[in-house]
Amino acid sequence: MPSDPILEIRNVSYAIGGRPILRDISLTVHEGETVVLLGRSGSGKTTLLKAVNGLVHPNSGEIRFEGKPALEWDPIRLRRRMGYVIQDAGLFPHWTVAANIGLVPRLENWNPEKVASRVESLLRDVGLEPAEFEGRYPRQLSGGQKQRVGIARALAADPPLLLLDEPFAALDPITRFDLQRQFLEIRRSGETETGGATAAAKSALFVTHDVREALMLGSRVALLKDGAMDVLATPAEFLAARTPEALAFLASLEDHWRPHE
Amino acid sequence: MNSRLASEILALSLEHLELVAITIGIAAAVALPGAVLLARRARTRRWVVGFANIAQTIPSLALFGFLLPLPLIGGIGKRTAIVALCLYALLPILRNSLVGILGVDATVRESAVAMGMTQRQILWQVELPLAVPSIVAGLRIATVATIGTATIAAAIGGGGLGVFIFRGISMVDTPTVLAGAIPAAVMALLADEGLEWIERRLSPA
Ligand SMILES: Nc1ncnc2c1ncn2[C@@H]1O[C@H](COP(=O)(O)OP(=O)(O)OP(=O)(O)O)[C@@H](O)[C@H]1O
Ligand SMILES: [Mg+2]
Protein backbone atom coordinates (compact mmCIF):
# COMPACT_ATOMS: atom_id res chain seq x y z
CA MET A 1 0.00 0.00 0.00
CA PRO A 2 1.32 3.43 -0.89
CA SER A 3 -0.01 5.60 1.94
CA ASP A 4 0.12 5.50 5.73
CA PRO A 5 -2.37 3.43 7.68
CA ILE A 6 -5.08 5.55 9.26
CA LEU A 7 -6.61 2.64 11.16
CA GLU A 8 -4.98 -0.55 12.37
CA ILE A 9 -6.98 -3.33 13.96
CA ARG A 10 -4.63 -5.90 15.46
CA ASN A 11 -5.81 -9.29 16.69
CA VAL A 12 -9.00 -7.90 18.16
CA SER A 13 -11.30 -10.27 20.00
CA TYR A 14 -14.50 -9.42 21.80
CA ALA A 15 -16.98 -11.58 23.69
CA ILE A 16 -20.24 -10.87 25.45
CA GLY A 17 -21.04 -13.17 28.36
CA GLY A 18 -18.50 -15.74 27.18
CA ARG A 19 -19.95 -15.77 23.66
CA PRO A 20 -17.33 -14.66 21.12
CA ILE A 21 -18.56 -11.93 18.79
CA LEU A 22 -15.23 -10.94 17.22
CA ARG A 23 -12.42 -13.47 16.86
CA ASP A 24 -8.85 -12.35 16.34
CA ILE A 25 -9.62 -9.72 13.70
CA SER A 26 -6.70 -7.95 12.03
CA LEU A 27 -7.27 -5.29 9.42
CA THR A 28 -5.54 -2.12 8.27
CA VAL A 29 -7.20 0.78 6.50
CA HIS A 30 -4.78 3.02 4.60
CA GLU A 31 -5.38 6.66 3.85
CA GLY A 32 -7.82 7.15 1.01
CA GLU A 33 -8.80 3.49 1.07
CA THR A 34 -12.28 2.04 1.46
CA VAL A 35 -12.36 -1.34 3.13
CA VAL A 36 -15.73 -3.01 2.87
CA LEU A 37 -16.84 -5.30 5.67
CA LEU A 38 -19.02 -7.95 4.12
CA GLY A 39 -20.82 -10.64 6.05
CA ARG A 40 -24.11 -12.21 6.89
CA SER A 41 -26.47 -10.77 9.42
CA GLY A 42 -24.95 -11.36 12.86
CA SER A 43 -21.39 -11.87 11.59
CA GLY A 44 -20.08 -9.01 13.74
CA LYS A 45 -19.82 -6.11 11.27
CA THR A 46 -21.58 -3.52 13.43
CA THR A 47 -19.70 -4.70 16.51
CA LEU A 48 -16.38 -4.17 14.72
CA LEU A 49 -17.38 -0.61 13.81
CA LYS A 50 -18.41 0.00 17.42
CA ALA A 51 -15.04 -1.28 18.61
CA VAL A 52 -13.28 1.14 16.26
CA ASN A 53 -15.46 3.99 17.54
CA GLY A 54 -14.79 3.04 21.16
CA LEU A 55 -18.40 2.13 21.91
CA VAL A 56 -17.32 -1.38 22.88
CA HIS A 57 -13.92 -2.36 24.21
CA PRO A 58 -12.15 -5.42 22.84
CA ASN A 59 -11.14 -8.06 25.37
CA SER A 60 -7.82 -8.44 23.62
CA GLY A 61 -5.90 -7.00 20.73
CA GLU A 62 -5.28 -3.38 19.87
CA ILE A 63 -6.82 -0.68 17.72
CA ARG A 64 -4.65 2.22 16.53
CA PHE A 65 -6.03 5.34 14.89
CA GLU A 66 -3.72 7.78 13.10
CA GLY A 67 -0.76 5.90 14.49
CA LYS A 68 -1.81 6.17 18.13
CA PRO A 69 -3.42 3.43 20.23
CA ALA A 70 -7.13 4.09 20.61
CA LEU A 71 -6.81 3.77 24.38
CA GLU A 72 -4.45 6.76 24.45
CA TRP A 73 -6.95 8.96 22.60
CA ASP A 74 -9.42 11.16 24.39
CA PRO A 75 -12.56 9.22 23.36
CA ILE A 76 -14.40 12.45 22.49
CA ARG A 77 -11.62 13.65 20.14
CA LEU A 78 -11.32 10.19 18.64
CA ARG A 79 -15.04 9.99 17.84
CA ARG A 80 -15.18 13.47 16.35
CA ARG A 81 -12.49 12.43 13.88
CA MET A 82 -14.63 9.52 12.72
CA GLY A 83 -17.86 10.20 10.87
CA TYR A 84 -20.20 7.40 11.87
CA VAL A 85 -23.23 6.50 9.77
CA ILE A 86 -25.22 4.42 12.22
CA GLN A 87 -27.25 1.46 11.02
CA ASP A 88 -30.88 2.71 10.86
CA ALA A 89 -29.60 6.30 11.05
CA GLY A 90 -29.88 6.92 14.83
CA LEU A 91 -31.05 10.51 14.35
CA PHE A 92 -32.04 12.71 17.28
CA PRO A 93 -35.86 12.80 17.28
CA HIS A 94 -36.13 16.24 18.93
CA TRP A 95 -33.93 17.99 16.38
CA THR A 96 -34.62 19.10 12.84
CA VAL A 97 -32.72 17.66 9.92
CA ALA A 98 -30.47 20.74 9.90
CA ALA A 99 -29.75 20.46 13.63
CA ASN A 100 -28.95 16.76 13.26
CA ILE A 101 -26.54 17.32 10.41
CA GLY A 102 -24.87 20.31 12.04
CA LEU A 103 -24.21 18.52 15.34
CA VAL A 104 -20.47 17.86 15.18
CA PRO A 105 -19.64 21.23 13.57
CA ARG A 106 -21.59 22.85 16.43
CA LEU A 107 -19.74 20.78 19.00
CA GLU A 108 -16.53 21.92 17.31
CA ASN A 109 -17.67 25.54 17.68
CA TRP A 110 -17.97 26.47 14.03
CA ASN A 111 -19.75 29.77 13.59
CA PRO A 112 -23.47 29.43 12.85
CA GLU A 113 -23.33 30.77 9.28
CA LYS A 114 -20.62 28.30 8.37
CA VAL A 115 -22.64 25.46 9.91
CA ALA A 116 -25.75 26.54 7.99
CA SER A 117 -24.01 26.70 4.62
CA ARG A 118 -22.27 23.39 5.31
CA VAL A 119 -25.61 21.76 6.13
CA GLU A 120 -27.13 23.12 2.96
CA SER A 121 -24.43 21.82 0.66
CA LEU A 122 -24.44 18.42 2.39
CA LEU A 123 -28.19 18.12 1.92
CA ARG A 124 -27.74 18.80 -1.79
CA ASP A 125 -24.95 16.21 -1.95
CA VAL A 126 -27.21 13.50 -0.60
CA GLY A 127 -30.05 14.54 -2.90
CA LEU A 128 -32.35 16.29 -0.44
CA GLU A 129 -33.59 19.76 -1.35
CA PRO A 130 -32.50 21.98 1.61
CA ALA A 131 -35.53 24.28 1.51
CA GLU A 132 -37.82 21.29 1.76
CA PHE A 133 -35.96 19.15 4.27
CA GLU A 134 -33.93 21.40 6.56
CA GLY A 135 -36.78 22.12 8.97
CA ARG A 136 -38.26 18.63 9.12
CA TYR A 137 -38.03 16.30 12.08
CA PRO A 138 -36.80 12.73 11.66
CA ARG A 139 -40.33 11.36 12.14
CA GLN A 140 -41.34 13.32 9.02
CA LEU A 141 -38.82 11.44 6.84
CA SER A 142 -38.95 8.15 5.01
CA GLY A 143 -36.43 5.46 5.93
CA GLY A 144 -34.22 6.25 2.98
CA GLN A 145 -34.33 9.98 3.69
CA LYS A 146 -33.33 9.36 7.29
CA GLN A 147 -30.42 7.31 6.09
CA ARG A 148 -29.25 10.12 3.82
CA VAL A 149 -29.48 12.60 6.69
CA GLY A 150 -27.37 10.15 8.70
CA ILE A 151 -24.78 10.12 5.92
CA ALA A 152 -24.74 13.93 5.76
CA ARG A 153 -24.32 14.09 9.54
CA ALA A 154 -21.31 11.78 9.40
CA LEU A 155 -19.66 13.87 6.67
CA ALA A 156 -20.39 17.21 8.34
CA ALA A 157 -17.10 17.98 10.07
CA ASP A 158 -15.06 16.43 7.28
CA PRO A 159 -13.59 13.61 9.39
CA PRO A 160 -10.57 11.72 8.07
CA LEU A 161 -12.22 8.34 8.64
CA LEU A 162 -15.77 7.33 7.83
CA LEU A 163 -17.52 4.41 9.47
CA LEU A 164 -20.56 3.51 7.40
CA ASP A 165 -22.97 0.85 8.61
CA GLU A 166 -25.14 -0.25 5.69
CA PRO A 167 -25.60 3.39 4.68
CA PHE A 168 -27.49 2.64 1.49
CA ALA A 169 -29.61 -0.27 2.71
CA ALA A 170 -32.95 1.54 2.87
CA LEU A 171 -32.64 3.33 -0.46
CA ASP A 172 -34.45 2.68 -3.71
CA PRO A 173 -32.11 1.24 -6.38
CA ILE A 174 -31.92 4.50 -8.32
CA THR A 175 -30.96 6.70 -5.36
CA ARG A 176 -28.67 3.96 -4.09
CA PHE A 177 -26.82 3.75 -7.39
CA ASP A 178 -26.57 7.52 -7.46
CA LEU A 179 -25.02 7.68 -3.99
CA GLN A 180 -22.75 4.71 -4.71
CA ARG A 181 -21.44 6.48 -7.79
CA GLN A 182 -20.95 9.68 -5.83
CA PHE A 183 -19.09 7.73 -3.17
CA LEU A 184 -16.81 6.24 -5.84
CA GLU A 185 -16.17 9.63 -7.35
CA ILE A 186 -15.07 11.04 -4.03
CA ARG A 187 -12.72 8.10 -3.61
CA ARG A 188 -11.29 8.16 -7.13
CA SER A 189 -10.86 11.87 -7.64
CA GLY A 190 -9.83 12.70 -4.12
CA GLU A 191 -12.32 15.52 -4.05
CA THR A 192 -15.51 16.64 -5.67
CA GLU A 193 -15.95 19.81 -7.70
CA THR A 194 -14.76 22.88 -5.83
CA GLY A 195 -17.30 24.04 -3.32
CA GLY A 196 -18.69 20.55 -3.00
CA ALA A 197 -19.23 19.55 0.58
CA THR A 198 -17.35 16.29 0.48
CA ALA A 199 -13.76 17.39 0.33
CA ALA A 200 -10.54 15.43 0.60
CA ALA A 201 -10.23 11.71 -0.08
CA LYS A 202 -11.66 9.97 2.91
CA SER A 203 -10.72 6.65 4.30
CA ALA A 204 -13.67 4.47 5.03
CA LEU A 205 -14.75 1.30 6.71
CA PHE A 206 -17.97 0.44 4.91
CA VAL A 207 -20.37 -2.27 6.09
CA THR A 208 -22.69 -4.06 3.73
CA HIS A 209 -24.17 -7.48 3.18
CA ASP A 210 -24.52 -6.83 -0.54
CA VAL A 211 -21.62 -8.45 -2.40
CA ARG A 212 -22.27 -6.34 -5.48
CA GLU A 213 -21.91 -3.15 -3.46
CA ALA A 214 -18.79 -4.53 -1.76
CA LEU A 215 -17.09 -5.23 -5.08
CA MET A 216 -18.12 -1.88 -6.53
CA LEU A 217 -17.03 0.33 -3.64
CA GLY A 218 -14.22 -1.48 -1.87
CA SER A 219 -10.51 -0.97 -2.39
CA ARG A 220 -10.49 -4.21 -0.45
CA VAL A 221 -13.19 -6.53 0.77
CA ALA A 222 -13.09 -8.09 4.24
CA LEU A 223 -15.46 -11.02 4.55
CA LEU A 224 -16.50 -11.79 8.12
CA LYS A 225 -17.88 -15.14 9.15
CA ASP A 226 -19.05 -15.73 12.72
CA GLY A 227 -16.89 -12.87 13.94
CA ALA A 228 -13.71 -14.11 12.22
CA MET A 229 -11.95 -12.86 9.11
CA ASP A 230 -12.74 -15.30 6.34
CA VAL A 231 -11.27 -13.50 3.31
CA LEU A 232 -9.40 -10.20 3.01
CA ALA A 233 -8.74 -9.37 -0.62
CA THR A 234 -9.05 -6.85 -3.43
CA PRO A 235 -12.31 -7.08 -5.37
CA ALA A 236 -10.53 -8.88 -8.21
CA GLU A 237 -8.98 -11.42 -5.84
CA PHE A 238 -12.26 -11.80 -4.02
CA LEU A 239 -13.96 -12.98 -7.20
CA ALA A 240 -11.50 -15.87 -7.21
CA ALA A 241 -11.82 -16.66 -3.50
CA ARG A 242 -12.83 -20.24 -2.77
CA THR A 243 -13.79 -20.39 0.89
CA PRO A 244 -17.32 -21.76 1.38
CA GLU A 245 -18.53 -18.40 2.72
CA ALA A 246 -17.02 -16.47 -0.22
CA LEU A 247 -18.56 -18.93 -2.65
CA ALA A 248 -21.93 -18.53 -0.98
CA PHE A 249 -21.72 -14.76 -1.40
CA LEU A 250 -20.43 -14.99 -4.97
CA ALA A 251 -23.30 -17.30 -5.87
CA SER A 252 -25.66 -14.42 -5.15
CA LEU A 253 -24.00 -12.54 -8.01
CA GLU A 254 -25.20 -15.06 -10.56
CA ASP A 255 -28.26 -13.91 -12.34
CA HIS A 256 -30.99 -16.41 -11.55
CA TRP A 257 -33.75 -14.14 -12.62
CA ARG A 258 -35.32 -14.77 -15.98
CA PRO A 259 -38.51 -13.22 -17.32
CA HIS A 260 -41.32 -15.63 -18.00
CA GLU A 261 -41.30 -16.78 -21.57
CA MET B 1 -74.26 34.05 48.34
CA ASN B 2 -73.35 37.16 50.27
CA SER B 3 -70.39 39.27 49.34
CA ARG B 4 -68.54 38.57 52.59
CA LEU B 5 -68.54 34.86 51.82
CA ALA B 6 -67.48 35.53 48.23
CA SER B 7 -64.54 37.64 49.28
CA GLU B 8 -63.50 35.07 51.89
CA ILE B 9 -63.60 32.34 49.23
CA LEU B 10 -61.42 34.49 47.03
CA ALA B 11 -58.94 35.27 49.79
CA LEU B 12 -58.62 31.65 50.91
CA SER B 13 -58.35 30.49 47.31
CA LEU B 14 -55.44 32.85 46.77
CA GLU B 15 -53.84 31.67 50.00
CA HIS B 16 -54.34 28.09 48.86
CA LEU B 17 -52.79 28.86 45.51
CA GLU B 18 -49.86 30.46 47.25
CA LEU B 19 -49.29 27.36 49.40
CA VAL B 20 -49.35 25.19 46.29
CA ALA B 21 -47.09 27.48 44.26
CA ILE B 22 -44.45 27.70 47.00
CA THR B 23 -44.61 23.95 47.57
CA ILE B 24 -44.22 23.06 43.90
CA GLY B 25 -41.49 25.67 43.49
CA ILE B 26 -39.43 24.23 46.32
CA ALA B 27 -40.14 20.60 45.43
CA ALA B 28 -39.15 21.19 41.80
CA ALA B 29 -36.03 23.07 42.83
CA VAL B 30 -34.97 20.03 44.83
CA ALA B 31 -36.33 17.18 42.69
CA LEU B 32 -35.14 18.34 39.24
CA PRO B 33 -31.45 18.76 40.10
CA GLY B 34 -31.85 15.63 42.21
CA ALA B 35 -33.04 13.67 39.19
CA VAL B 36 -30.14 14.98 37.11
CA LEU B 37 -27.67 13.90 39.79
CA LEU B 38 -29.32 10.52 40.35
CA ALA B 39 -29.66 9.69 36.65
CA ARG B 40 -26.03 8.53 36.49
CA ARG B 41 -25.96 6.87 39.91
CA ALA B 42 -27.98 3.68 39.90
CA ARG B 43 -27.20 2.57 43.46
CA THR B 44 -27.89 5.90 45.15
CA ARG B 45 -30.98 6.24 43.01
CA ARG B 46 -32.51 3.04 44.36
CA TRP B 47 -31.95 4.20 47.93
CA VAL B 48 -33.34 7.67 47.42
CA VAL B 49 -36.40 6.58 45.45
CA GLY B 50 -37.03 3.80 47.97
CA PHE B 51 -36.87 6.28 50.82
CA ALA B 52 -39.14 8.74 49.01
CA ASN B 53 -41.61 5.93 48.37
CA ILE B 54 -41.80 5.21 52.09
CA ALA B 55 -42.22 8.91 52.93
CA GLN B 56 -45.12 8.97 50.48
CA THR B 57 -46.99 6.28 52.40
CA ILE B 58 -47.18 8.27 55.66
CA PRO B 59 -50.76 9.54 55.99
CA SER B 60 -50.71 13.31 55.59
CA LEU B 61 -52.51 14.13 58.81
CA ALA B 62 -50.00 11.94 60.67
CA LEU B 63 -47.10 13.66 58.93
CA PHE B 64 -48.38 17.07 60.00
CA GLY B 65 -48.60 15.64 63.50
CA PHE B 66 -45.01 14.38 63.41
CA LEU B 67 -43.71 17.72 62.18
CA LEU B 68 -45.50 19.89 64.75
CA PRO B 69 -43.11 19.33 67.66
CA LEU B 70 -39.92 19.60 65.55
CA PRO B 71 -37.69 22.66 65.98
CA LEU B 72 -37.18 25.03 63.02
CA ILE B 73 -39.42 23.24 60.52
CA GLY B 74 -42.19 22.43 62.98
CA GLY B 75 -44.79 24.41 64.86
CA ILE B 76 -48.18 25.76 63.96
CA GLY B 77 -48.37 27.67 60.70
CA LYS B 78 -47.61 27.83 57.02
CA ARG B 79 -43.99 26.78 57.24
CA THR B 80 -44.77 23.36 58.69
CA ALA B 81 -47.53 22.91 56.15
CA ILE B 82 -45.20 23.68 53.27
CA VAL B 83 -42.52 21.31 54.54
CA ALA B 84 -45.04 18.50 54.70
CA LEU B 85 -46.54 19.29 51.30
CA CYS B 86 -43.05 19.39 49.77
CA LEU B 87 -42.31 15.89 51.04
CA TYR B 88 -45.32 14.62 49.10
CA ALA B 89 -44.65 16.68 45.97
CA LEU B 90 -41.03 15.59 45.69
CA LEU B 91 -41.58 12.00 44.73
CA PRO B 92 -43.79 12.39 41.64
CA ILE B 93 -41.49 15.08 40.24
CA LEU B 94 -38.36 13.08 40.99
CA ARG B 95 -39.75 9.82 39.70
CA ASN B 96 -41.18 11.22 36.48
CA SER B 97 -38.01 13.16 35.73
CA LEU B 98 -35.94 10.02 36.21
CA VAL B 99 -38.31 8.02 34.04
CA GLY B 100 -37.95 10.67 31.36
CA ILE B 101 -34.17 10.84 31.47
CA LEU B 102 -33.58 7.10 31.80
CA GLY B 103 -36.28 6.31 29.28
CA VAL B 104 -34.45 7.97 26.40
CA ASP B 105 -34.07 5.41 23.64
CA ALA B 106 -30.78 3.54 24.09
CA THR B 107 -29.99 3.85 20.39
CA VAL B 108 -30.40 7.63 20.58
CA ARG B 109 -28.05 7.78 23.54
CA GLU B 110 -25.54 5.51 21.83
CA SER B 111 -25.73 7.64 18.72
CA ALA B 112 -24.95 10.72 20.83
CA VAL B 113 -21.90 8.98 22.29
CA ALA B 114 -20.81 7.85 18.82
CA MET B 115 -20.98 11.44 17.51
CA GLY B 116 -18.47 12.46 20.17
CA MET B 117 -20.78 14.24 22.62
CA THR B 118 -19.58 14.48 26.22
CA GLN B 119 -21.73 13.08 29.05
CA ARG B 120 -22.67 16.64 29.98
CA GLN B 121 -23.68 17.50 26.42
CA ILE B 122 -25.70 14.30 26.18
CA LEU B 123 -27.54 15.18 29.38
CA TRP B 124 -28.35 18.78 28.46
CA GLN B 125 -28.83 18.52 24.72
CA VAL B 126 -30.37 15.08 24.35
CA GLU B 127 -31.67 13.48 27.53
CA LEU B 128 -33.26 16.47 29.26
CA PRO B 129 -35.04 17.86 26.16
CA LEU B 130 -36.41 14.40 25.45
CA ALA B 131 -37.46 14.07 29.10
CA VAL B 132 -39.39 17.37 29.20
CA PRO B 133 -42.87 15.88 28.62
CA SER B 134 -42.29 13.38 31.40
CA ILE B 135 -40.94 16.10 33.72
CA VAL B 136 -44.03 18.24 33.08
CA ALA B 137 -46.21 15.20 33.74
CA GLY B 138 -44.50 14.87 37.12
CA LEU B 139 -45.15 18.54 37.88
CA ARG B 140 -48.78 18.09 36.90
CA ILE B 141 -49.31 15.07 39.14
CA ALA B 142 -47.55 16.81 42.03
CA THR B 143 -49.56 20.02 41.57
CA VAL B 144 -52.93 18.29 41.45
CA ALA B 145 -52.09 16.18 44.48
CA THR B 146 -50.80 19.19 46.41
CA ILE B 147 -53.98 21.18 45.73
CA GLY B 148 -55.91 18.37 47.42
CA THR B 149 -53.52 17.68 50.27
CA ALA B 150 -53.10 21.38 51.02
CA THR B 151 -56.68 21.47 52.36
CA ILE B 152 -55.39 19.46 55.32
CA ALA B 153 -52.80 22.16 56.00
CA ALA B 154 -55.55 24.17 57.70
CA ALA B 155 -55.43 21.62 60.53
CA ILE B 156 -52.07 23.02 61.60
CA GLY B 157 -52.79 26.64 60.81
CA GLY B 158 -51.57 26.59 57.25
CA GLY B 159 -54.61 28.46 55.98
CA GLY B 160 -56.06 28.01 52.50
CA LEU B 161 -59.37 26.47 51.46
CA GLY B 162 -59.05 23.80 54.15
CA VAL B 163 -60.15 26.51 56.63
CA PHE B 164 -63.68 26.25 55.20
CA ILE B 165 -63.62 22.50 55.24
CA PHE B 166 -62.52 22.18 58.86
CA ARG B 167 -64.92 24.94 59.90
CA GLY B 168 -67.75 23.21 58.05
CA ILE B 169 -66.92 19.89 59.69
CA SER B 170 -66.87 21.34 63.16
CA MET B 171 -70.15 23.18 62.52
CA VAL B 172 -71.64 20.15 60.73
CA ASP B 173 -72.49 22.56 57.94
CA THR B 174 -72.27 21.10 54.44
CA PRO B 175 -72.43 24.39 52.51
CA THR B 176 -69.35 25.64 54.38
CA VAL B 177 -67.50 22.40 53.58
CA LEU B 178 -68.46 22.87 49.94
CA ALA B 179 -67.24 26.48 49.98
CA GLY B 180 -63.77 24.99 50.48
CA ALA B 181 -64.12 21.77 48.53
CA ILE B 182 -65.57 23.15 45.30
CA PRO B 183 -62.96 25.85 44.64
CA ALA B 184 -60.22 23.30 45.48
CA ALA B 185 -61.70 20.81 43.03
CA VAL B 186 -62.00 23.46 40.31
CA MET B 187 -58.44 24.55 40.94
CA ALA B 188 -57.22 20.96 40.63
CA LEU B 189 -59.11 20.44 37.36
CA LEU B 190 -57.77 23.66 35.87
CA ALA B 191 -54.21 22.83 36.89
CA ASP B 192 -54.58 19.35 35.42
CA GLU B 193 -55.91 20.62 32.10
CA GLY B 194 -53.46 23.50 31.85
CA LEU B 195 -50.39 21.45 32.57
CA GLU B 196 -51.56 18.66 30.33
CA TRP B 197 -51.85 21.20 27.53
CA ILE B 198 -48.27 22.36 28.18
CA GLU B 199 -47.13 18.73 28.28
CA ARG B 200 -48.63 18.12 24.84
CA ARG B 201 -47.17 21.33 23.44
CA LEU B 202 -43.68 20.37 24.64
CA SER B 203 -43.77 16.81 23.36
CA PRO B 204 -41.34 16.40 20.46
CA ALA B 205 -44.55 15.47 18.65
N1 LIG C 1 -25.23 -6.10 23.21
C1 LIG C 1 -25.22 -7.36 22.76
N2 LIG C 1 -25.47 -8.38 23.59
C2 LIG C 1 -25.44 -9.67 23.17
N3 LIG C 1 -25.18 -10.03 21.92
C3 LIG C 1 -24.92 -9.06 21.03
C4 LIG C 1 -24.92 -7.67 21.39
N4 LIG C 1 -24.62 -6.95 20.30
C5 LIG C 1 -24.46 -7.82 19.31
N5 LIG C 1 -24.62 -9.09 19.73
C6 LIG C 1 -24.49 -10.30 18.93
O1 LIG C 1 -23.27 -10.21 18.24
C7 LIG C 1 -23.40 -10.74 16.94
C8 LIG C 1 -22.90 -9.74 15.93
O2 LIG C 1 -23.77 -8.62 15.95
P1 LIG C 1 -23.58 -7.42 14.93
O3 LIG C 1 -24.61 -6.42 15.25
O4 LIG C 1 -22.16 -7.00 14.97
O5 LIG C 1 -23.92 -8.12 13.54
P2 LIG C 1 -23.95 -7.52 12.08
O6 LIG C 1 -22.94 -8.24 11.30
O7 LIG C 1 -23.85 -6.04 12.14
O8 LIG C 1 -25.41 -7.93 11.59
P3 LIG C 1 -26.47 -7.17 10.66
O9 LIG C 1 -26.03 -7.36 9.25
O10 LIG C 1 -27.75 -7.90 10.93
O11 LIG C 1 -26.49 -5.75 11.10
C9 LIG C 1 -24.85 -11.12 16.76
O12 LIG C 1 -24.96 -12.51 16.92
C10 LIG C 1 -25.55 -10.39 17.86
O13 LIG C 1 -26.65 -11.12 18.30
MG1 LIG D 1 -25.17 -4.50 11.76
Side-chain angles (χ1 to χ4, degrees):
Chain A
M1 272 292 148
S3 49
D4 294 335
I6 184 161
L7 177 70
E8 294 158 88
I9 299 168
R10 295 181 182 167
N11 307 104
V12 161
S13 295
Y14 176 64
I16 299 174
R19 199 166 74 82
I21 312 285
L22 297 175
R23 308 166 196 249
D24 198 28
I25 300 274
S26 293
L27 174 65
T28 300
V29 181
H30 297 269
E31 256 163 46
E33 192 185 30
T34 300
V35 174
V36 172
L37 294 175
L38 179 66
R40 298 180 195 222
S41 185
S43 57
K45 307 181 295 295
T46 297
T47 308
L48 187 55
L49 287 195
K50 285 185 181 175
V52 170
N53 193 250
L55 291 174
V56 302
H57 299 287
N59 305 114
S60 63
E62 187 189 41
I63 294 175
R64 300 172 75 91
F65 179 63
E66 295 184 327
K68 190 162 111 178
L71 290 174
E72 288 173 20
W73 276 84
D74 165 16
I76 304 297
R77 296 252 38 95
L78 178 85
R79 290 177 183 134
R80 290 197 195 159
R81 292 185 67 74
M82 299 178 179
Y84 193 168
V85 182
I86 292 162
Q87 193 168 16
D88 303 320
L91 300 177
F92 299 104
H94 59 307
W95 284 347
T96 62
V97 164
N100 267 284
I101 296 176
L103 170 61
V104 181
R106 277 203 312 282
L107 295 176
E108 296 284 300
N109 297 315
W110 293 20
N111 75 51
E113 296 92 80
K114 195 175 159 205
V115 176
S117 72
R118 177 70 178 155
V119 166
E120 209 169 289
S121 77
L122 282 162
L123 274 170
R124 287 217 172 79
D125 282 4
V126 296
L128 298 172
E129 181 49 47
E132 193 185 340
F133 288 96
E134 243 166 20
R136 292 211 200 171
Y137 286 88
R139 72 195 146 80
Q140 299 168 317
L141 302 175
S142 74
Q145 290 164 346
K146 278 184 207 162
Q147 230 173 4
R148 280 181 277 169
V149 172
I151 295 169
R153 180 176 65 175
L155 292 169
D158 219 354
L161 178 67
L162 288 175
L163 306 174
L164 305 106
D165 201 346
E166 304 194 25
F168 304 148
L171 301 177
D172 63 89
I174 302 163
T175 312
R176 180 188 304 150
F177 191 56
D178 202 48
L179 287 177
Q180 285 171 338
R181 259 196 333 229
Q182 231 176 298
F183 188 84
L184 268 186
E185 240 167 70
I186 297 167
R187 233 195 65 203
R188 292 226 174 100
S189 65
E191 50 191 80
T192 52
E193 72 280 6
T194 39
T198 35
K202 301 222 182 324
S203 316
L205 204 49
F206 188 114
V207 167
T208 183
H209 46 224
D210 177 355
V211 65
R212 213 177 280 270
E213 186 171 67
L215 295 171
M216 176 179 175
L217 300 180
S219 323
R220 284 185 296 149
V221 177
L223 176 61
L224 293 185
K225 183 180 189 304
D226 300 329
M229 189 69 78
D230 193 59
V231 175
L232 177 58
T234 64
E237 292 163 357
F238 187 82
L239 284 171
R242 287 295 170 264
T243 68
E245 190 71 353
L247 287 173
F249 268 98
L250 289 169
S252 72
L253 276 178
E254 285 163 25
D255 197 1
H256 296 292
W257 184 84
R258 295 282 181 278
H260 289 290
E261 298 300 320
Chain B
M1 187 195 293
N2 63 45
S3 70
R4 256 198 51 203
L5 178 61
S7 70
E8 197 180 3
I9 289 178
L10 185 68
L12 290 179
S13 293
L14 287 175
E15 192 179 24
H16 200 83
L17 214 55
E18 189 190 342
L19 271 179
V20 173
I22 293 172
T23 299
I24 297 301
I26 294 173
V30 174
L32 293 179
V36 166
L37 288 175
L38 290 175
R40 300 269 191 261
R41 295 172 177 80
R43 277 176 60 99
T44 325
R45 182 167 67 237
R46 270 194 294 279
W47 280 99
V48 172
V49 173
F51 179 80
N53 270 325
I54 292 169
Q56 195 84 351
T57 63
I58 306 172
S60 46
L61 206 49
L63 182 62
F64 286 121
F66 290 140
L67 288 176
L68 275 179
L70 294 184
L72 291 173
I73 57 168
I76 292 283
K78 275 202 173 34
R79 197 177 44 206
T80 314
I82 287 170
V83 169
L85 291 173
C86 278
L87 286 177
Y88 289 111
L90 273 171
L91 183 66
I93 302 175
L94 182 71
R95 186 160 35 201
N96 276 271
S97 305
L98 281 171
V99 164
I101 295 170
L102 299 174
V104 169
D105 191 343
T107 61
V108 170
R109 193 180 287 107
E110 187 175 69
S111 155
V113 174
M115 295 300 124
M117 295 179 90
T118 62
Q119 284 300 316
R120 176 182 282 255
Q121 288 164 337
I122 293 172
L123 178 68
W124 287 97
Q125 297 184 35
V126 178
E127 291 176 319
L128 282 175
L130 287 171
V132 163
S134 182
I135 292 171
V136 176
L139 290 171
R140 178 171 59 86
I141 294 164
T143 305
V144 172
T146 303
I147 291 171
T149 317
T151 54
I152 299 170
I156 52 162
L161 290 164
V163 171
F164 276 130
I165 296 176
F166 282 105
R167 190 192 299 161
I169 290 170
S170 63
M171 291 163 32
V172 201
D173 178 37
T174 307
T176 305
V177 172
L178 290 178
I182 291 172
V186 170
M187 207 181 280
L189 280 173
L190 288 178
D192 197 34
E193 288 294 320
L195 286 164
E196 203 182 336
W197 180 79
I198 293 174
E199 203 177 310
R200 273 198 312 271
R201 288 279 319 254
L202 292 177
S203 295

